[in-house]
Amino acid sequence: MTVRVGILGATGAVGQRFIQLLDDHSTFELAALTASEDSAGKSYREAAKWRVNTPIPDDVAEMTVGATTPEDVPDDIDLLFSSLPSSVAREVEPSFLDAGYVVSSNSSNDRMAQDVPLTIPEINPGHLDLIEIQREERGWDGALVKNPNCSTITMVPTLAALDEFGLESVQVSTLQAVSGAGYSGVTSMEIIDNAIPHIGGEEDKMETESRKLLGTFDGAELELHRMDVAASCNRIPTLDGHLENVFAETEDDASPDAAAGAMRSYESADLPSSPEQLIHVFEDPERPQPRLDRERGGGMQISAGGLQETANGLKYNCLAHNTIRGAAGASLLNGELLVEEGWV
Ligand SMILES: NC(=O)c1ccc[n+]([C@@H]2O[C@H](COP(=O)([O-])OP(=O)(O)OC[C@H]3O[C@@H](n4cnc5c(N)ncnc54)[C@H](OP(=O)(O)O)[C@@H]3O)[C@@H](O)[C@H]2O)c1
């Protein structure tokens, strides 16, 4: 079965990753690209300043970029990926949902809305059923699904594995790559020989989204996970790959060996883009490292290491590729789940 897909915001940093990941996808055929009015009407080659480390696929380079309105997207598109700035997505995504499109979106608007599934397919696929409530409450024919922020998605799979010991509280400090801020987000003068101990809005996203992802949906209401989460977010001069230092307290004792076992055996999903093993746990305390480990599993695997006991629980490090697992790859995987579960 071929699913015809489109990308809203296709010329940006995340949009380019979508194009890279969709090239040669087993079931998705890229058939529509949109961007701002400045890009509309141009060929993709002309409109996009291509910065991904593989060439633009020839067929995509010649496609014409449309404006980001439902009228500019062909009716026979089955699934849209959205990588628009959140301020733009907040305004335009509802018009696509009204028009009946199914949208798998990266943008942060509506991630915490009660009726919007915030999903990582390996962690909380059942939350997709919120779509029923969403359609009823908003009168949409389409469906909106969000993936979490890149720093949240790096840590949450490891927490999901630890939850078998009863997670009570989590503290996390991040070392985040510059690509997370977009191409022009942090200037070289700001970041070279430096670290910036604040990323606007990021700490709040980690603290709230993680509780929603690990929350329970009983078919009527979603209850957030009871754990406390405190995050401190830092930008450092790596290009890709967010590294995070996590401190977790659990109700039942979790030795470093038992925690590593739970992470290693946490099941992946059976979707075209999911890695065979979701979490790779290193024995070497010097790993994971961004430059060495961000491409594991095509950028879709989470890495962990340095598990040690503390006075109150455990500490460890985890890592993920922020523009693949943390952005375009996360949305793509949600799209695959939507197809698998029959929403597309
Ligand atoms: N970068 C990351 O690692 C990352 C990670 C997770 C989530 N995200 C989220 O993903 C989204 C995209 O991020 P990005 O870094 O790819 O941004 P970006 O590079 O600035 O790209 C934005 C895209 O949106 C289009 N656009 C801008 N204004 C528009 C408008 N008024 N109407 C229609 N299209 C418009 C742009 O088109 P033009 O080229 O025509 O301007 C471009 O295609 C954001 O919400 C961001 O927070 C990013």
Side-chain angles (χ1 to χ4, degrees):
M1 167 185 153
T2 300
V3 177
R4 283 169 62 78
V5 305
I7 304 170
L8 310 178
T11 49
V14 178
Q16 294 185 19
R17 277 284 182 206
F18 272 125
I19 288 170
Q20 185 187 42
L21 296 174
L22 285 166
D23 195 28
D24 288 333
H25 190 276
S26 56
T27 45
F28 292 168
E29 178 192 320
L30 183 56
L33 303 170
T34 84
S36 73
E37 291 292 344
D38 290 345
S39 302
K42 295 181 182 164
S43 70
Y44 187 77
R45 190 193 301 283
E46 259 182 297
K49 187 148 190 185
W50 186 257
R51 293 187 170 108
V52 173
N53 58 350
T54 49
I56 313 185
D58 286 341
D59 50 339
V60 176
E62 301 316 320
M63 285 172 72
T64 301
V65 176
T68 304
T69 63
E71 297 72 37
D72 265 54
V73 171
D75 290 340
D76 64 351
I77 294 291
D78 305 303
L79 173 64
L80 286 170
F81 295 110
S82 172
S83 47
L84 295 165
S86 302
S87 56
V88 177
R90 186 170 295 114
E91 299 301 319
V92 308
E93 282 178 355
S95 60
F96 285 92
L97 296 152
D98 277 333
Y101 290 100
V102 175
V103 180
S104 173
S105 167
N106 253 288
S107 313
S108 61
N109 55 300
D110 279 323
R111 280 192 192 137
M112 290 303 292
Q114 270 291 336
D115 60 347
V116 174
L118 176 70
T119 52
I120 302 174
E122 299 93 339
I123 308 299
N124 60 339
H127 290 196
L128 270 198
D129 291 342
L130 278 168
I131 292 171
E132 300 277 13
I133 296 173
Q134 180 188 105
R135 285 182 169 166
E136 220 170 278
E137 288 187 355
R138 307 210 192 199
W140 287 338
D141 291 326
L144 178 63
V145 174
K146 295 275 169 174
N147 53 268
N149 175 263
C150 47
S151 51
T152 309
I153 208 167
T154 301
M155 152 181 91
V156 162
T158 62
L159 297 182
L162 293 182
D163 206 22
E164 71 176 63
F165 305 102
L167 272 173
E168 288 190 321
S169 80
V170 173
Q171 284 93 47
V172 55
S173 176
T174 68
L175 298 99
Q176 297 184 220
V178 291
S179 59
Y183 194 80
S184 48
V186 187
T187 67
S188 53
M189 289 296 279
E190 285 173 295
I191 200 69
I192 292 174
D193 185 32
N194 206 7
I196 302 171
H198 176 74
I199 302 176
E202 196 87 351
E203 294 172 354
D204 182 57
K205 288 175 189 164
M206 290 192 84
E207 289 166 3
T208 55
E209 292 175 14
S210 53
R211 295 184 60 215
K212 182 171 180 183
L213 286 156
L214 297 184
T216 315
F217 178 52
D218 64 5
E221 220 168 290
L222 195 147
E223 194 179 332
L224 301 183
H225 194 288
R226 69 189 172 107
M227 68 184 173
D228 294 318
V229 184
S232 162
C233 295
N234 305 280
R235 187 77 68 198
I236 61 156
T238 45
L239 283 178
D240 289 313
H242 291 349
L243 180 64
E244 304 183 351
N245 313 125
V246 183
F247 300 78
E249 283 178 50
T250 52
E251 200 172 350
D252 301 331
D253 277 352
S255 68
D257 277 354
M263 289 183 192
R264 285 194 180 105
S265 60
Y266 195 89
E267 248 185 83
S268 191
D270 190 18
L271 295 169
S273 301
S274 38
E276 215 161 286
Q277 184 182 30
L278 179 60
I279 306 170
H280 177 83
V281 183
F282 286 95
E283 296 289 349
D284 179 351
E286 292 188 4
R287 307 284 284 277
Q289 296 180 17
R291 189 149 45 88
L292 300 182
D293 300 313
R294 61 194 170 206
E295 301 289 345
R296 291 187 68 90
M300 294 296 277
Q301 191 178 50
I302 309 292
S303 300
L307 282 115
Q308 289 178 67
E309 223 169 292
T310 65
N312 303 317
L314 273 177
K315 63 177 178 179
Y316 62 93
N317 306 312
C318 56
L319 171 94
H321 195 302
N322 55 297
T323 61
I324 302 181
R325 177 46 97 157
S331 259
L332 180 66
L333 213 52
N334 277 343
E336 292 171 355
L337 180 68
L338 283 159
V339 172
E340 165 104 352
E341 300 284 317
W343 294 101
V344 171

